[in-house]
Amino acid sequence: MRVLILGGDGYLGWPTAMHLSAQGHEVMAVDNYLRRRLAREEDSEALIDPPNLHQRAKLWQEVSGREIAVRVGDLDDWTTISSIFEEFRPEGIVHYAEQPSAPYSMKDRAAADLTLRNNLGVTFNVIQAMAAHAPDAHMVKLGTMGEYGTPNIDIEEGWLDIEHKGRKDRVLFPRAASSLYHTTKVLDTDLLWFYVRTWGLRVTDLMQGPVYGVETDENAGHEALQPFLNYDELFGTVLNRFVVQAVAGYPLTVYGKGGQTRGYLNIRDTLQCVRLALETPADEGELRIFNQFTETFSVNQLAEIVRASGERLGLSVEVKSIENPRKEREEHYYNPVHTGLLDLGLEPNLLTDEVIDSIMRFVMRHKDSIHADRIFRGVTWKKG
Ligand SMILES: NC(=O)c1ccc[n+]([C@@H]2O[C@H](COP(=O)([O-])OP(=O)(O)OC[C@H]3O[C@@H](n4cnc5c(N)ncnc54)[C@H](O)[C@@H]3O)[C@@H](O)[C@H]2O)c1
């Protein structure tokens, strides 16, 4: 299959590009380095600085004998995206190309404006480019479990069958996001649903939980092929951050009561889920939604898992509750359904002692690259 990876330089994009290439798909990766630029501007760079997309593709060819085509350009620009679609005529599209940080989106007006315009602008352009140049293609779009918020009822996979005043219907599951970033994902879903039902596009919207880890089958033993691992408050996801904090001797920063519960997954499982979704596409006129995670943990449970791993590896890890900079429930009901991807064949890689210890060992090898002052910045959800 010809697969276009939008956001192909990112934490998930580059490993996905290699994974699909290894499976024999013809892959083109597109990125404008927005993530690297923002990280540089905010002094929030990753633990290791990976080579650029062209260099990564060269290294991948040396290691695997396979080619990944690379284009550098802004997908929010119609001329750029339109010419890429016209040239490549994708059969599958993986859309990762958004500003993915909740704290960044809440930092100030300019960051919020960039997040809103970029995320909606790219999704709109992908829809238009599909309609113009690849109407039969299937888009796999990355949404987030954060679209649902933390309702006091079970979270279904995207849709809810309701009975109201004696009549029945199927509606999008109610959304209640807790940051502007997550809200852009809600708006994306609505935009996709509008064009799916109006133009008959094929779309899978993956409600993904926070991802952890860096190692995959394709990059094992090749550090230059590994994705960037951010540990700062803006771009780091919680488990990756806690591991770096543990290695740096920085107390694990639990926000408030630490009962915030979310669904998590190993980066290896992101690759599996995206491949499975691509290889069994949504039907014409179908917006298929899967909840993409393998296990749920509260922040307190994650802190305990990292503390215990640190102890096994000879580190003394402190856990500290700090005032919650976010506006979110710190104790709540959480029971999301997640059977769709398992039914497609997902074989979960769970967060075992061995897995967390191996991430910890990876970070310990790079301990000298940690800048402790990047860990906490105090971005709050307050107005202005
Ligand atoms: N990492 C996670 O834990 C997680 C969890 C849930 C959902 N997601 C979603 O998955 C996707 C990928 O996440 P990630 O962690 O790899 O983020 P990332 O920032 O590492 O990757 C996104 C990539 O898209 C690129 N990009 C953004 N805007 C672009 C534009 N206008 N033109 C071209 N390229 C552009 C960025 O430069 C970046 O390389 C995002 O949409 C994110 O919201 C991620």
Side-chain angles (χ1 to χ4, degrees):
M1 199 187 298
R2 279 188 307 283
V3 186
L4 201 48
I5 314 278
L6 308 177
D9 185 54
Y11 171 55
L12 302 177
W14 176 247
T16 306
M18 286 191 295
H19 182 65
L20 295 175
S21 168
Q23 302 290 318
H25 296 297
E26 187 183 336
V27 176
M28 178 185 275
V30 188
D31 209 290
N32 66 345
Y33 299 127
L34 175 71
R35 163 71 170 254
R36 295 192 195 229
R37 175 168 76 75
L38 298 182
R40 206 164 40 238
E41 281 174 13
E42 300 296 334
D43 187 25
S44 293
E45 278 139 315
L47 189 63
I48 44 173
D49 189 22
N52 70 34
L53 208 40
H54 292 287
Q55 291 167 1
R56 288 168 140 185
K58 264 190 217 138
L59 281 169
W60 172 242
Q61 188 161 19
E62 283 164 26
V63 167
S64 69
R66 297 179 188 273
E67 203 176 315
I68 294 179
V70 167
R71 296 288 178 276
V72 174
D74 182 0
L75 295 160
D76 194 20
D77 175 68
W78 172 247
T79 315
T80 302
I81 189 170
S82 170
S83 64
I84 287 170
F85 270 70
E86 197 172 6
E87 171 199 352
F88 191 65
R89 302 263 170 201
E91 294 159 291
I93 298 141
V94 183
H95 171 16
Y96 286 129
E98 301 205 348
Q99 189 300 99
S101 159
Y104 181 82
S105 77
M106 300 301 291
K107 195 174 75 70
D108 55 30
R109 205 209 74 88
D113 185 63
L114 182 150
T115 304
L116 186 68
R117 286 172 200 273
N118 184 69
N119 295 3
L120 267 295
V122 173
T123 299
F124 175 73
N125 272 352
V126 177
I127 291 166
Q128 295 292 334
M130 271 177 83
H133 304 296
D136 295 327
H138 170 220
M139 181 196 324
V140 175
K141 159 75 171 53
L142 264 290
T144 157
M145 284 299 293
E147 291 189 32
Y148 303 118
T150 51
N152 201 31
I153 54 173
D154 288 1
I155 297 173
E156 302 300 325
E157 295 205 69
W159 299 94
L160 185 64
D161 293 316
I162 56 161
E163 190 170 340
H164 181 64
K165 296 184 179 173
R167 300 185 66 81
K168 290 184 180 166
D169 209 343
R170 189 164 179 256
V171 296
L172 278 173
F173 193 91
R175 266 88 170 141
S178 63
S179 78
L180 177 72
Y181 152 69
H182 291 100
T183 300
T184 63
K185 296 288 193 184
V186 174
L187 299 171
D188 281 341
T189 297
D190 259 318
L191 200 57
L192 291 167
W193 176 216
F194 169 69
Y195 280 109
V196 163
R197 63 181 194 265
T198 306
W199 286 351
L201 302 182
R202 300 167 192 271
V203 178
T204 299
D205 202 357
L206 296 172
M207 301 298 131
Q208 180 173 246
V211 183
Y212 56 82
V214 284
E215 200 176 278
T216 68
D217 286 349
E218 291 75 26
N219 66 28
H222 302 284
E223 221 154 78
L225 289 176
Q226 287 185 342
F228 34 66
L229 182 139
N230 280 84
Y231 57 93
D232 59 282
E233 184 181 333
L234 292 176
F235 295 105
T237 47
V238 59
L239 188 59
N240 288 348
R241 290 184 62 199
F242 276 0
V243 169
V244 174
Q245 289 178 234
V247 172
Y250 193 104
L252 309 189
T253 40
V254 169
Y255 292 170
K257 293 183 183 149
Q260 300 91 324
T261 302
R262 303 287 184 264
Y264 293 85
L265 73 164
N266 191 308
I267 190 167
R268 290 173 181 273
D269 291 341
T270 295
L271 307 190
Q272 272 194 75
C273 291
V274 167
R275 180 174 54 76
L276 288 167
L278 274 175
E279 291 177 352
T280 318
D283 289 335
E284 196 179 319
E286 182 189 13
L287 173 63
R288 183 175 60 166
I289 303 179
F290 293 128
N291 293 343
Q292 182 167 312
F293 66 93
T294 56
E295 297 171 276
T296 59
F297 298 104
S298 70
V299 174
N300 285 331
Q301 284 171 321
L302 288 181
E304 180 48 34
I305 287 168
V306 172
R307 200 197 55 73
S309 168
E311 216 153 72
R312 285 194 292 279
L313 299 178
L315 303 172
S316 153
V317 181
E318 195 191 329
V319 180
K320 194 169 151 197
S321 167
I322 61 170
E323 190 187 339
N324 193 344
R326 303 181 174 205
K327 194 160 177 187
E328 61 186 2
R329 290 197 186 106
E330 294 172 4
E331 285 170 327
H332 56 86
Y333 179 76
Y334 201 64
N335 189 27
V337 173
H338 59 119
T339 50
L341 287 159
L342 294 168
D343 291 346
L344 282 190
L346 169 65
E347 291 175 13
N349 290 276
L350 301 179
L351 187 57
T352 58
D353 288 355
E354 197 188 339
V355 168
I356 187 72
D357 291 356
S358 88
I359 304 173
M360 198 76 116
R361 280 198 205 91
F362 169 82
V363 174
M364 286 165 89
R365 286 201 297 279
H366 294 280
K367 184 175 179 195
D368 292 347
S369 306
I370 301 173
H371 294 251
D373 57 337
R374 287 182 181 159
I375 291 172
F376 189 72
R377 296 289 173 79
V379 174
T380 77
W381 266 223
K382 291 197 180 109
K383 256 188 284 184

